[in-house]
Amino acid sequence: MINLNRLAMFAAVVECGSFTAAADTLGTTKAVVSFNVKQLEQELSVALLTRSTRRLALTEAGERFYHDCSVLLRQAEAAVAQARSGHASFSGSLRVTASVDYGNLVVAPALAGFARLHPELRVSYQASSTHADLIAERLDVAIRVGPLEDSRHRANPIGHFNLVIVASPALLSATGMPDSLQAMAALPWLANRPGQGGQWTLADPHGKPHTIRVRNVAHADTASALLAFALAGCGVAALPEWLLDDHLKGGRLQILMADHVLPRAEVFAVYPDTRHVSAKVRGFIDHLRAFRPGRA
């Protein structure tokens, strides 16, 4: 029978990059970690790591085994959490990732409020403009906006928001306020990711869809960066409503073709498809679903 502690030590070495760092993380000694990893390799009859004076690297077999270890360790942790889920308070760790802008405005404050409700819980938050690998990075929940691409995980809808098409007064003074979809499409546009096609579909007041093709003059991978471009008059941007209130009220941006709307953006909580979903994950998803920015 393989020792789960040895699997955890091996995973810690991979994630920390050295035996010394893994030992510090686990609260043990480098000798204990090294011994257990060597024993694991002997039990498996395969080399998992290549060692040199400067660095450690996974072998091909080690890379596959690390991925499987991560899954197994998460399942073991979830099973323990499930067994304890009848207790009133949550404990252990909760690791959450989200996109930069929505995460910092909504997810991080919600996570802080959840941590205050459950003081025995250790929370960790990671903001990123790219999708993290939940298994490899041992994350519990990812909050993702827009269409989902990864079907290996479970996903729960937690909300939605509207995208609003805006431009700066400086840009509109040079081009004129568009009075038709064709005129709006002729303006310079900003893309929210590299390689995004220059095509948008809007619904008119009767719900009829209209597709326009636009010319992208710049792109950025966060909504706040697109906002900065739009404020500077670089182009037209489709931005989330929760980012725009102050700028619209202050007249720094104006809404274009307000009677034509883009499809709303869906928000999902994504988590590994394990046999047991921990109570803390379910609890945080419920908390986030009910959360409104400005109050915990």
Side-chain angles (χ1 to χ4, degrees), residues 157-178:
I158 60 172
H160 58 82
F161 58 84
N162 295 320
L163 290 171
V164 183
I165 298 176
V166 296
S168 71
L171 176 67
L172 296 174
S173 67
T175 64
M177 175 66 78

Side-chain angles (χ1 to χ4, degrees), residues 64-101:
R64 292 194 302 269
F65 188 67
Y66 168 69
H67 182 274
D68 293 339
C69 275
S70 298
V71 174
L72 184 59
L73 290 169
R74 292 185 67 89
Q75 289 176 334
E77 182 179 320
V80 172
Q82 181 76 7
R84 295 171 174 169
S85 62
H87 294 284
S89 63
F90 299 122
S91 61
S93 62
L94 178 66
R95 297 172 289 270
V96 179
T97 184
S99 60
V100 175
D101 297 302

Side-chain angles (χ1 to χ4, degrees), residues 12-99:
V13 170
V14 174
E15 292 159 9
C16 296
S18 72
F19 287 96
T20 301
D24 291 341
T25 299
L26 296 171
T28 186
T29 65
K30 177 183 176 182
V32 168
V33 175
S34 179
F35 171 79
N36 278 277
V37 172
K38 288 179 180 178
Q39 286 295 110
L40 180 61
E41 289 179 315
Q42 290 180 9
E43 291 168 359
L44 297 173
S45 299
V46 65
L48 300 173
L49 297 164
T50 57
R51 302 162 176 83
S52 69
T53 56
R54 292 187 178 181
R55 62 188 295 269
L56 288 173
L58 283 167
T59 64
E60 184 177 350
E63 189 169 350
R64 292 194 302 269
F65 188 67
Y66 168 69
H67 182 274
D68 293 339
C69 275
S70 298
V71 174
L72 184 59
L73 290 169
R74 292 185 67 89
Q75 289 176 334
E77 182 179 320
V80 172
Q82 181 76 7
R84 295 171 174 169
S85 62
H87 294 284
S89 63
F90 299 122
S91 61
S93 62
L94 178 66
R95 297 172 289 270
V96 179
T97 184
S99 60

Side-chain angles (χ1 to χ4, degrees), residues 216-276:
N216 293 323
V217 297
H219 75 261
D221 64 355
T222 66
S224 56
L226 279 181
L227 172 64
F229 286 0
L231 288 169
C234 292
V236 176
L239 291 169
E241 57 187 352
W242 40 263
L243 197 60
L244 295 174
D245 283 350
D246 290 343
H247 299 290
L248 292 173
K249 291 175 182 177
R252 293 181 292 276
L253 290 173
Q254 295 178 244
I255 297 175
L256 309 187
M257 302 293 294
D259 57 346
H260 286 69
V261 296
L262 292 167
R264 68 186 188 182
E266 303 290 339
V267 184
F268 296 90
V270 179
Y271 49 95
D273 189 12
T274 57
R275 182 175 301 176
H276 302 285

